């Protein structure tokens, strides 16, 4: 099974079907926190929904030609969130990444370290040339991640996402392999 060690306390790995119950409970305990910015939260209504989502992530490995698109974030041996490639364009070698973290695990540097790891993985192991991060313009916590990692702000996608009956603008950030790798990520 794929495992990417980030540091002593943190690693990324593929989801397994056994993660369905812990994933559901993690989402459920952070539901109000996550729901503010993520439209999919309302669709994760039980363990079975988490299981079906995990099956989809496992099928994603086949679609990508063998590398995982979606990874569980494991901090101190506990599932705490998800990071992954929302979209991968193999022809043009670019991807966009997304992430979320449980409310109780905020402000520990976990998501920044997880994103740094998946960006490095994308450039070094998958051979991507460009990685984007899109974040709701008002989601300051999410926007802080690409800013902290040195991504370049490129522009605004107006009313690109519908969450809780409200259209959100996204800020688009990007990083190129040549810039990331010359700075060692």
């Amino acid at each position: 099974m794929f495992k990417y060690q980030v540091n002593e306390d943190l690693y990324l790995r593929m989801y397994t079907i056994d993660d369905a119950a812990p994933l559901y409970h993690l989402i459920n305990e952070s539901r109000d926190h996550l729901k503010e910015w993520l439209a999919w939260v309302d669709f994760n209504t039980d363990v079975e929904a988490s299981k079906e989502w995990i099956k989809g992530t496992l099928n994603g490995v086949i679609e990508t030609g063998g590398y995982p698109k979606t990874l569980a974030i494991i901090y101190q041996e506990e599932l705490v969130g998800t990071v992954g490639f929302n979209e991968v364009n193999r022809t043009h070698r670019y991807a966009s990444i997304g992430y979320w973290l449980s409310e109780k695990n905020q402000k520990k540097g976990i998501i920044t370290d997880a994103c740094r790891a998946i960006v490095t993985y994308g450039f070094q192991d998958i051979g991507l040339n460009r990685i984007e991060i899109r974040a709701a313009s008002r989601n300051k916590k999410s926007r802080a991640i690409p800013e902290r990692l040195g991504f370049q702000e490129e522009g605004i996608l107006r009313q690109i996402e519908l969450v809780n009956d409200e259209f959100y603008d996204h800020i688009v950030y990007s990083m190129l392999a040549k810039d990331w790798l010359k700075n060692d990520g």
Side-chain angles (χ1 to χ4, degrees):
M1 178 198 300
F2 177 89
K3 180 178 175 182
Y4 193 102
Q5 194 73 42
V6 178
N7 60 43
E8 186 178 302
D9 292 328
L10 181 66
Y11 63 91
L12 310 177
R13 67 162 170 77
M14 289 176 55
Y15 275 96
T16 69
I17 296 300
D18 292 340
D19 291 319
L23 176 63
Y24 169 72
H25 294 299
L26 185 67
I27 292 167
N28 203 42
E29 73 183 26
S30 293
R31 190 167 297 279
D32 291 339
H33 167 73
L34 297 172
K35 187 176 173 173
E36 182 177 4
W37 304 110
L38 301 169
W40 58 261
V41 173
D42 284 338
F43 300 104
N44 193 297
T45 56
D46 54 27
V47 173
E48 191 60 34
S50 288
K51 184 185 275 185
E52 289 304 311
W53 180 82
I54 289 169
K55 286 179 185 176
T57 71
L58 297 174
N59 288 336
V61 174
I62 297 164
E63 295 167 10
T64 62
Y67 61 86
K69 276 180 65 173
T70 307
L71 299 169
I73 301 171
I74 308 298
Y75 177 70
Q76 296 180 343
E77 298 304 322
E78 181 182 334
L79 174 65
V80 297
T82 299
V83 64
F85 298 105
N86 293 332
E87 175 190 354
V88 177
N89 184 308
R90 293 178 65 188
T91 302
H92 301 293
R93 295 181 27 210
Y94 72 83
S96 69
I97 62 172
Y99 43 85
W100 65 269
L101 191 66
S102 65
E103 187 171 20
K104 71 181 181 184
N105 286 288
Q106 303 279 311
K107 298 183 181 182
K108 298 177 183 177
I110 295 170
I111 205 70
T112 301
D113 288 344
C115 286
R116 182 180 293 111
I118 200 166
V119 169
T120 298
Y121 171 71
F123 289 139
Q124 288 183 345
D125 299 322
I126 299 173
L128 297 172
N129 179 61
R130 172 189 167 90
I131 294 177
E132 290 181 0
I133 295 177
R134 298 177 182 185
S137 60
R138 295 184 318 197
N139 189 341
K140 293 182 191 307
K141 288 182 181 178
S142 187
R143 289 182 58 193
I145 303 307
E147 292 169 1
R148 196 173 297 127
L149 293 174
F151 277 58
Q152 180 176 327
E153 184 177 325
E154 291 189 333
I156 299 172
L157 298 173
R158 296 174 32 200
Q159 296 188 0
I160 190 76
E161 184 178 34
L162 180 64
V163 179
N164 303 317
D165 295 322
E166 182 180 351
F167 285 101
Y168 287 172
D169 293 347
H170 278 191
I171 306 296
V172 179
Y173 298 89
S174 71
M175 178 62 68
L176 300 179
K178 66 181 181 77
D179 297 328
W180 185 263
L181 298 175
K182 81 176 176 191
N183 294 321
D184 295 318

